[in-house]
Amino acid sequence: MLLAVGPNAQAADAPVTLKDVFKDHFPIGTAVNRSMMMGGAGFRRSAELNASDVATLKQHFNQIVAENDMKWQLIHPREGQDGYDFAPADALVNFAASNRMEVAGHTLVWHSQTPNWVFAGTNPPPPSATNPPPAFAAGNTNAPGTNRFGRGGFGGGFGRYTGPRASRDELLARMSNHIHTVAGRYKGKVKVWDVVNEALADGQGTNVLRTSLWSEIIGPDFVAKAFQYAHAADPQAILRYNDYGLENPAKRKRLIALIKELQAQKIPVHAIGSQAHVNVATTFETMDQSLTEMATLGLPIHITELDVNSAQGGQRGFGANVADNAATTQGGLVSDADKKLADAYAGIFRAFVKHRDSVKLVTLWGVNDAVSWRAQGKPLLFDGENRPKAAFDAVIRATVGEPSKSIR
Ligand code: G3I
């Protein structure tokens, strides 16, 4: 079959789909939100548009990851074995099975979106003193299994817990319990886990790891411990270390130091997750260099959260801190944004194809611009009505005719 590319792709005999075009290279995945998995209207999305998002998902992608619903704060908002809200994650795993999609789990241990109780000492003072409960967004029903964020939603996510702290042993026990329960529940269903997310420091300092409650309470070996627990919970799962900004040489150096250290200790880390929240200034050369260096670690590379910011405010770096998001989507789009986006995507995918022996998975961070966390930066391949953009055609063109591989 000849693949039709270009603006008329949709009108061709057989529609060109991402998953078909890349089937001999790597699965093509996307982050999905709760309404896509559970139906109905969603955050900033009518039921009709949500249905159209699901149709695009089924047509073009063969791998999914929960954009939010497997984060600690959503899946395990309350302490104890009855403190889990599994319904949205269960829906995702069932959706994937019904639609023959692979699943990545995001994420087991992260400094962000972790409820305060996780870090609290056994006998902390009453909540009002130092450990305020999260403030819920207006309209949040707090009901598990609804289409909204459940109890323990995002209200308290960014404030750092300042109350009395758990001991190292207490926190390790909570981490172990969480990982065994969550990874254990989805054993054989979630193929790959982001075991530790964003543990690396930013900036130009000499620290490898960022300072977080995990690193302060447990110490730097919290990373190794998390991988050991995850391996015990699901020995078949591919265990990934996941971070952003790895296109930046200073951050990449830290990644290489961390992974080498884990490898020296025989810690079961099986893949590098490179988020790739990049911008339209990103070239083939930048991505080529980044992949070449990461590949020296000898592990598969998964591109885990790809999007390409077209907003003026986002052209300076490759950060993905949620707290900085507003600034990175300000200032309107760059001039000639559609073309610049297409050119950037073309270069980025050419690099993925060049490095297909290392790149085993490519996941975009959202189906279309409207549901993106950086909606104002119009960073994805489909517009808010699920029409393929020039960047979609560019991606297809970057790859037609290349030979193949699979995820591990
Ligand atoms: O759904 C609620 C809605 O009911 C409420 O009215 C509204 C009010 O603000 O909030 C909505 O929840 C938001 C949720 O995304 C769903 O859109 C939260 O406020 C918001 O904080 C949350 O942000 C997510 C962010 O991680 C924080 O966890 C983004 O969707 C998600 O794309 C982003 O993903 C991260 C990866 O996990 C890790 N790497 C970086 C990446 C981008 O920041």
Side-chain angles (χ1 to χ4, degrees), residues 43 67-68 71 106-107 110 112-113 137-138 140 148-149 154 158 197-198 242 244 275 277 305 320-322 365 373:
F43 180 47
E67 183 173 3
N68 288 301
K71 292 174 182 174
H106 175 78
T107 175
W110 189 19
S112 187
Q113 318 305 143
N140 189 327
R148 316 286 299 183
F149 278 87
F154 283 93
F158 304 116
N197 195 43
E198 301 174 4
N242 191 48
Y244 63 78
Q275 294 184 9
H277 290 291
E305 303 185 11
N321 259 332
V322 187
W365 204 240
W373 72 299

Side-chain angles (χ1 to χ4, degrees), residues 49 91 115 122 129 151 164 189 208 229 238 317 334 341 353 362 403:
L49 285 169
T122 324
R151 250 167 273 176
K189 295 176 176 165
V208 171
Y229 297 151
I238 301 172
V334 297
L341 186 77
V353 171
V362 175

Side-chain angles (χ1 to χ4, degrees), residues 105 107-109 175-185 187 190-196 222-240 267-270:
T107 175
L108 295 170
V109 175
M175 182 204 270
S176 170
N177 172 288
H178 176 81
I179 291 177
H180 276 93
T181 305
V182 176
R185 183 180 183 90
K187 200 170 172 172
V190 168
K191 181 163 185 166
V192 45
W193 275 104
D194 288 330
V195 178
V196 177
F222 85 90
V223 178
K225 292 284 185 196
F227 278 93
Q228 287 170 330
Y229 297 151
H231 189 54
D234 184 354
Q236 302 304 318
I238 301 172
L239 304 183
R240 195 156 80 179
I267 301 300
V269 51
H270 305 133

Side-chain angles (χ1 to χ4, degrees), residues 44-222:
R44 300 204 206 108
R45 220 64 186 142
S46 68
E48 292 69 31
L49 285 169
N50 182 52
S52 147
D53 298 346
V54 174
T56 304
L57 165 66
K58 289 182 180 173
Q59 186 178 7
H60 286 280
F61 299 92
N62 50 16
Q63 187 268 346
I64 53 176
V65 56
E67 183 173 3
N68 288 301
D69 280 320
M70 289 192 188
K71 292 174 182 174
W72 195 315
Q73 193 152 23
L74 292 172
I75 203 167
H76 190 184
R78 300 168 304 277
E79 189 161 17
Q81 283 309 118
D82 59 356
Y84 291 86
D85 289 343
F86 287 122
D90 285 357
L92 182 147
V93 164
N94 293 337
F95 178 97
S98 313
N99 292 284
R100 292 197 304 277
M101 295 175 176
E102 289 176 359
V103 180
H106 175 78
T107 175
L108 295 170
V109 175
W110 189 19
H111 64 276
S112 187
Q113 318 305 143
T114 304
N116 288 342
W117 66 260
V118 176
F119 303 111
T122 324
N123 296 303
S128 54
T130 50
N131 184 15
F136 296 112
N140 189 327
T141 62
N142 279 346
T146 68
N147 223 10
R148 316 286 299 183
F149 278 87
R151 250 167 273 176
F154 283 93
F158 304 116
R160 191 175 145 93
Y161 171 69
T162 54
R165 293 177 174 190
S167 66
R168 170 182 159 95
D169 286 350
E170 201 168 18
L171 186 52
L172 280 172
R174 285 178 185 149
M175 182 204 270
S176 170
N177 172 288
H178 176 81
I179 291 177
H180 276 93
T181 305
V182 176
R185 183 180 183 90
Y186 299 115
K187 200 170 172 172
K189 295 176 176 165
V190 168
K191 181 163 185 166
V192 45
W193 275 104
D194 288 330
V195 178
V196 177
N197 195 43
E198 301 174 4
L200 294 173
D202 283 318
Q204 299 299 323
T206 53
N207 286 351
V208 171
L209 296 182
R210 76 166 68 229
T211 302
S212 70
L213 287 165
W214 293 110
S215 71
E216 287 181 352
I217 298 173
I218 297 175
D221 64 334
F222 85 90

